[in-house]
Amino acid sequence: MKKLINAPDQVVADALRGIQAAHGDRLRVSLDPYLLVRADAPVRGKVGLVSGGGSGHEPMHGGYVGRGMLDAACPGEVFTSPTPDQMLAATKAVDGGAGVVHIVKNYTGDVLNFEMAADLAGGEGIEVATVLTNDDVAVEDSLYTAGRRGVGVTVLVEKIAGAAAEAGRSLQEVAEIGRRVNAQGRSMGMALTPCVTPASGRPSFELAEDEVEIGIGIHGEPGRFREQAGPASQVAERLMTPILEDLPFRSGDRVLAFVNGMGGTPLLELYVVYAEVARIAAAHGLRIERNLIGNYITSLEMQGCSITLLKLDDELERYWDAPVDTPALRWGA
Amino acid sequence: MKKLINAPDQVVADALRGIQAAHGDRLRVSLDPYLLVRADAPVRGKVGLVSGGGSGHEPMHGGYVGRGMLDAACPGEVFTSPTPDQMLAATKAVDGGAGVVHIVKNYTGDVLNFEMAADLAGGEGIEVATVLTNDDVAVEDSLYTAGRRGVGVTVLVEKIAGAAAEAGRSLQEVAEIGRRVNAQGRSMGMALTPCVTPASGRPSFELAEDEVEIGIGIHGEPGRFREQAGPASQVAERLMTPILEDLPFRSGDRVLAFVNGMGGTPLLELYVVYAEVARIAAAHGLRIERNLIGNYITSLEMQGCSITLLKLDDELERYWDAPVDTPALRWGA
């Protein structure tokens, strides 16, 4: 295993030092516990947004802390849930008196710990609403979840609910909008190669030289099936068909199409995949009104991609377009 | 070799189709010849900026076409120079009557073809000024160059000269500013793994399981030396020391620090490297006033990173901060 790290047990702390050095003008970074908080938090009267989860999915979530998106992120060790104490500290740091939304990807550890943190925050008089993301159509239950996994749609929830909070919407409204994004979004991913966690030093799974895994999770959890590696057009069909059938998406729907890289796949290839997504979407009568292409929710150096489709309405589109100013997503600001 | 492509000889055309589908509202994409042009080009009275080179370095250059940066990019096949005809077509497409700057990375094929294109453009009455980038301190001559290779500083030249052009500066002024960025910038890269071009299907070089290559080029060209893989702190020293000595950078200098991923390295690790860069810069009395961290000039799926330091002055800093609106770099717009 070769990695650009100092030591496996230091990687998250070292990366946080890097984020502090790079973005300390906009974020406050704590190493004990691990925490990234918007520099101007808490914003008086604004609903606060907190997310978090295991590290190894960068830029999610730390890269999305800033105006128009998250108020705080609490990173765990690589592929390990943060603790309730961390989540509570984040919640208190961003509470501006209007309540706090927890955006939680559906993995058992994250769900339990965020529930506990919400209880603890409630005990301190902070109202918390939770938005659970579970957009992965690949499997119903999986290695780390009861029910579907939360994947790509989480980025879209953070952006859109973040804009709603910035616009002064109430706790219940922001949470409702976040839940609507999750309800109207579907994702599926695939891998060409496994990833290697720094702590284990071993590939997360084995895959033959000519095989791909369809329906993979963002921790290398098993997907639906393996098959001989085919062209990008086939990969896109494998992912798009279950996504389109699941919501279902219908002819005439306006959508946001998100082609996400798993971390080790060149952008050149992501655009090849996007061309196929656009072709398939057009064949189904979908109108892609917005798009996002790049590494936004990753699995360390895994090669592969995921596709997320979100059915848009006027409100979601307006909040998607609203200014955002974070290390990883920035426009209009 | 597994890749998210349809066929090795279609990869650039397919990716351009994806770019057209995704960014067709802001860019005009041509497949014959390969060309990406700002939707509103030519901008009357504005100096036009053209760059180009082999594909496989995305988002460079196509991702940098848009307001405040390039007016056009001409991509070649993977790791293959575009042709003079392509460059001429790009030059004509962006000529708004104030002349055109060619930003050329120092590789023999690119240099010769851009020279020919400049001659042809001159014959058609378009004044062309060339900015050559050759910031790589790793080697003096290399596999594809006489003199130093052009690498990370190219991104900075495109941003800063692009802002100068947008601000209405003259052809000579924009070219002078671009040359100043190159003259005040130094880079060096390293690799943990090779990359695999779609056409060859084979790794660009062999590297042992525990070895890294220091001073690598962006096509997998040999670097300075190989050594046992060490911690990120050592990697950062290996790259920073030659960079700091070369300009040389001096205590009190204001700099932009750019940690670039080669394509297959997780963002988590790039932030670990950035922490080391910040530490070393501080030890040398440098003030990092701006930074850029991510995959900006890549070598397909190569794992590794490069570091670029640019000595700033007020003008360069102002143009760096100016609004930019491209697929890959966007702020203030």
Side-chain angles (χ1 to χ4, degrees), chain B:
Chain B
M1 177 196 67
K2 289 182 287 190
K3 287 182 180 291
L4 290 171
I5 64 175
N6 288 310
D9 60 353
Q10 274 175 244
V11 58
V12 176
D14 283 351
L16 287 174
R17 281 186 200 98
I19 291 172
Q20 176 160 44
H23 309 298
D25 53 335
R26 301 195 281 169
L27 305 178
R28 294 197 306 265
V29 178
S30 155
L31 292 178
D32 184 22
Y34 297 156
L35 220 55
L36 296 118
V37 182
R38 229 174 104 154
D40 61 351
V43 180
R44 190 82 223 134
K46 187 185 90 68
V47 170
L49 258 72
V50 171
S51 192
S55 293
H57 307 298
E58 289 67 29
M60 164 156 285
H61 299 273
Y64 302 136
V65 177
R67 199 163 65 79
M69 214 162 163
L70 296 179
D71 292 85
C74 31
E77 295 295 342
V78 172
F79 293 175
T80 304
S81 176
T83 64
D85 281 358
Q86 255 176 289
M87 296 163 175
L88 178 64
T91 305
K92 291 165 75 169
V94 308
D95 172 38
V100 175
V101 171
H102 287 175
I103 299 171
V104 185
K105 302 194 298 302
N106 187 33
Y107 298 96
T108 306
D110 290 345
V111 170
L112 287 175
N113 289 349
F114 265 112
E115 269 175 16
M116 203 175 299
D119 282 348
L120 293 168
E124 302 199 21
I126 304 173
E127 198 180 352
V128 172
T130 298
V131 176
L132 191 74
T133 63
N134 59 352
D135 52 309
D136 189 341
V137 302
V139 291
E140 283 307 318
D141 295 300
S142 85
L143 206 52
Y144 306 114
T145 55
R148 291 179 165 185
R149 302 176 294 219
V151 289
V153 95
T154 315
V155 180
L156 312 182
V157 169
E158 293 179 4
K159 169 66 185 80
I160 291 171
E166 207 71 48
R169 306 291 294 267
S170 72
L171 180 66
Q172 292 319 319
E173 288 171 335
V174 172
E176 184 278 321
I177 287 165
R179 289 179 195 128
R180 196 158 93 237
V181 173
N182 181 64
Q184 296 185 185
R186 294 292 187 276
S187 301
M188 192 157 149
M190 61 79 63
L192 303 169
T193 66
C195 56
V196 178
T197 61
S200 78
R202 287 191 313 275
S204 52
F205 57 92
E206 301 289 337
L207 206 52
E209 251 313 296
D210 63 345
E211 262 186 346
V212 299
E213 173 104 21
I214 303 289
I216 195 84
I218 56 171
H219 311 90
E221 309 96 298
R224 284 191 174 194
F225 59 89
R226 291 173 179 201
E227 66 177 356
Q228 186 109 12
S233 57
Q234 177 181 311
V235 168
E237 294 281 358
R238 292 281 190 268
L239 303 182
M240 285 287 279
T241 302
I243 288 171
L244 290 167
E245 288 172 352
D246 198 88
L247 190 61
F249 290 88
R250 295 181 199 283
S251 182
D253 280 351
R254 300 152 51 189
V255 300
L256 183 157
F258 171 24
V259 172
N260 173 62
M262 290 294 192
T265 281
L267 189 57
L268 184 72
E269 297 180 25
L270 298 181
Y271 275 105
V272 171
V273 173
Y274 186 80
E276 302 298 335
V277 168
R279 176 183 59 75
I280 297 167
H284 283 78
L286 304 186
R287 289 185 293 142
I288 301 182
E289 301 213 328
R290 296 293 183 273
N291 61 72
L292 184 68
I293 299 148
N295 293 322
Y296 291 100
I297 167 171
T298 62
S299 304
L300 296 168
E301 68 282 88
M302 184 186 284
Q303 291 180 5
C305 69
S306 65
I307 297 171
T308 299
L309 290 187
L310 169 65
K311 184 174 164 174
L312 289 170
D313 55 43
D314 288 344
E315 185 176 54
L316 300 190
E317 194 166 301
R318 194 171 65 245
Y319 285 139
W320 176 257
D321 289 342
V324 60
D325 187 10
T326 71
L329 221 54
R330 191 175 171 192
W331 57 71

